[in-house]
Amino acid sequence: MGKDYAKRGNGRKSSDTRGLPGWAWAFVGLTAGLLVATALYLRKPLPESGHALPREQGEYAPEDDSRFDFYEMLPNFEVTVPGGEAIAPPPAPSTEPGSYIIQAGSFRTFEDADRLKASMAMLGVETHIEKSAPDTNGHTWYRVRTSPEKDQTVVNEQLRLLRENRIEGQLIKSN
């Protein structure tokens, strides 16, 4: 025998108490969250670190510079390389007659070497990149070097120009 579907309702209870729609509950929850966050923010004590943010200037102004002692401390530390040797000072200008090469850098990637080569070209120093044979660890190095130069004044001028632009070149006597 079949069922009579005509008397069946729309699935709601007979008392028809639907409550609030979902968007209203979301609005109530968001409002409550914002009120709690605002109350916690306003109750947070101001920092007592001695630093102030002047409202009229809109920038951070430390009142005590004692936190920045490393500016005086760093020059007192000696930098050592893994071999235990201290880093050498910049090369002195060449005085002996002969032909010299300036090596401006040595990199593991061609892109880094090419970047330095481009920077030096902008300074007017012509260089080329030499690819080394793999070392004992299997690494290939890309060296940025100038061509051999016999004129001592040109070599010294290039060294000075590199030093002024914070590029430390290594002077190599060529055969």
Side-chain angles (χ1 to χ4, degrees):
M1 189 150 173
K3 290 185 175 184
D4 185 13
Y5 291 103
K7 292 185 180 181
R8 187 169 185 195
N10 59 4
R12 294 187 183 154
K13 295 180 182 178
S14 60
S15 63
D16 197 24
T17 55
R18 292 192 291 171
L20 290 176
W23 64 267
W25 283 110
F27 180 75
V28 169
L30 181 63
T31 304
L34 286 173
L35 287 174
V36 169
T38 303
L40 289 175
Y41 177 77
L42 293 176
R43 289 190 61 211
K44 186 170 92 172
L46 293 174
E48 297 180 17
S49 62
H51 301 284
L53 181 65
R55 292 180 191 263
E56 63 276 356
Q57 294 176 357
E59 62 184 43
Y60 179 73
E63 295 174 3
D64 181 20
D65 288 339
S66 65
R67 297 182 315 140
F68 303 107
D69 292 335
F70 58 89
Y71 289 115
E72 288 108 28
M73 293 170 40
L74 285 179
N76 298 329
F77 290 102
E78 180 179 347
V79 178
T80 57
V81 292
E85 303 172 14
I87 293 178
S94 64
T95 55
E96 294 182 28
S99 184
Y100 289 91
I101 295 172
I102 299 173
Q103 179 172 312
S106 184
F107 302 93
R108 286 196 181 174
T109 64
F110 180 82
E111 291 78 18
D112 290 338
D114 194 43
R115 199 172 298 122
L116 179 60
K117 180 182 176 187
S119 297
M120 292 178 66
M122 298 280 285
L123 298 173
V125 179
E126 190 175 324
T127 60
H128 61 277
I129 298 174
E130 290 181 6
K131 182 179 177 181
S132 74
D135 62 8
T136 56
N137 295 329
H139 297 118
T140 301
W141 293 90
Y142 299 91
R143 298 180 181 125
V144 180
R145 292 182 168 182
T146 62
S147 297
E149 179 63 53
K150 289 184 179 181
D151 188 354
Q152 303 300 314
T153 56
V154 171
V155 172
N156 293 335
E157 178 62 24
Q158 287 177 342
L159 279 173
R160 183 193 62 75
L161 186 61
L162 294 179
R163 224 176 282 129
E164 284 177 359
N165 289 281
R166 299 182 183 200
I167 300 172
E168 296 300 326
Q170 179 181 3
L171 195 59
I172 301 170
K173 188 163 184 172
S174 178
N175 295 334

